């Protein structure tokens, strides 16, 4: 059974700081890993998708890395801004036909002005 | 804007009632998944529909059922509501395409907040 863990559960940083969010998973035979952002009471916004054959993906100030062998992914946020405050979730999928994405419980990020 | 819309946004029901939640997927997306998200937790997979057939299910009882229609809309039905069914229900659509893996990005709707009293 795939289990996904995100540490820390909450993080508070001053504006401008670079930060790393962590995601670990128990079954390394994943198809892809996706990072999402969720604002309070809202749905999920996709940030980055990393295929199992890839090592990293970048979008603007965000960089996600994937190390399948160690069962870990990181989301790096550069020059954090108060607008980055949200809960960040990672989700792993085992196969393209597999309906199930397994999510972590998220890291709630607060960026203080 | 993900192109996935859910209705209603909020719903209040009493224990034992039945509820239907609706989702309109992105045009062309042949796959829709439903998730339940309790407060402070990550979403839990309920089931997936591919071309109008259920092809994957999580650890949810049969009183959770669904339908997918040819017009890219879908429904989640929950019978005999229980207090623990109170949660945010999310649908996600994608194009299942083995040849173009980048298209397997899931796009989520904003969710329906269900409260069972």
């Amino acid at each position: 059974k795939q289990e996904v863990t995100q540490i820390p559960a909450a993080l508070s940083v001053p504006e401008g700081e670079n930060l790393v969010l962590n995601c670990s998973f128990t079954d390394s035979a994943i198809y892809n890993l996706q990072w999402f952002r969720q604002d309070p009471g809202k749905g999920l916004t996709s940030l980055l998708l990393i295929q199992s054959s890839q090592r990293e993906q970048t979008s603007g100030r965000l960089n996600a890395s994937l190390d399948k062998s160690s069962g870990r992914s990181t989301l790096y946020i550069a020059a954090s801004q108060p607008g980055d405050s949200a809960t960040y979730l990672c989700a792993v999928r085992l196969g393209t036909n597999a309906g199930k994405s397994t999510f972590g419980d998220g890291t709630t990020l607060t960026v203080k002005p | 804007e993900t192109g996935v819309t859910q209705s209603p946004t909020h719903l209040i029901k009493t224990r034992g009632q039945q509820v239907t939640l609706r989702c309109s997927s992105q045009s062309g997306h042949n796959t829709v998944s439903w998730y339940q998200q309790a407060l402070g937790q990550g979403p839990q997979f309920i089931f997936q529909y591919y071309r109008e057939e259920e092809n994957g299910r999580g650890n949810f009882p049969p009183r959770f059922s669904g339908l997918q229609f040819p017009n890219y809309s879908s429904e989640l039905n929950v019978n005999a509501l229980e207090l623990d069914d109170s949660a945010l229900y999310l649908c996600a659509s994608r194009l299942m395409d083995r040849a173009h893996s980048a298209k397997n990005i899931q796009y989520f709707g904003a969710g329906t907040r269900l409260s069972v009293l």
Side-chain angles (χ1 to χ4, degrees), chain A residues 8-97:
Chain A
L11 183 63
S12 181
V13 300
E15 181 176 4
E17 191 163 298
N18 302 325
L19 59 102
V20 174
L21 306 181
N22 298 294
C23 172
S24 61
F25 46 93
T26 54
D27 186 343
S28 62
I30 66 170
Y31 180 73
N32 64 33
L33 183 147
Q34 196 166 355
W35 282 93
F36 294 89
R37 169 188 173 135
Q38 186 173 32
D39 292 291
K42 304 296 184 183
L44 277 62
T45 300
S46 178
L47 298 173
L48 291 164
L49 173 75
I50 309 178
Q51 302 296 339
S52 62
S53 59
Q54 298 174 322
R55 297 283 296 189
E56 65 179 334
Q57 282 285 335
T58 298
S59 176
R61 294 183 294 109
L62 305 179
N63 176 276
S65 68
L66 175 64
D67 184 343
K68 278 201 317 178
S69 61
S70 67
R72 301 177 74 171
S73 176
T74 61
L75 179 66
Y76 174 82
I77 303 176
S80 58
Q81 303 169 359
D84 294 332
S85 298
T87 296
Y88 291 81
L89 296 151
C90 70
V92 299
R93 177 181 295 275
L94 291 180
T96 184
N97 287 333

Side-chain angles (χ1 to χ4, degrees), chain B residues 37-106:
Chain B
Q37 186 178 24
L39 204 59
Q41 297 182 18
Q44 298 291 315
F45 175 72
I46 302 175
F47 45 56
Q48 171 178 276
Y49 277 77
Y50 171 65
R51 292 183 176 177
E52 302 165 47
E53 297 280 339
E54 183 182 305
N55 79 334
R57 191 176 186 94
N59 294 323
F60 282 82
R63 59 190 185 85
F64 285 78
S65 63
L67 288 170
Q68 185 186 25
F69 304 102
N71 65 351
Y72 308 113
S73 67
S74 59
E75 293 180 353
L76 165 65
N77 299 289
V78 187
N79 294 322
L81 284 167
E82 301 177 359
L83 298 179
D84 286 348
D85 295 334
S86 296
L88 180 68
Y89 288 85
L90 299 162
C91 76
S93 75
R94 66 188 177 105
L95 174 63
M96 188 186 296
D97 186 336
R98 288 180 178 274
H100 299 92
S101 56
K103 295 183 180 179
N104 282 293
I105 295 174
Q106 290 192 95

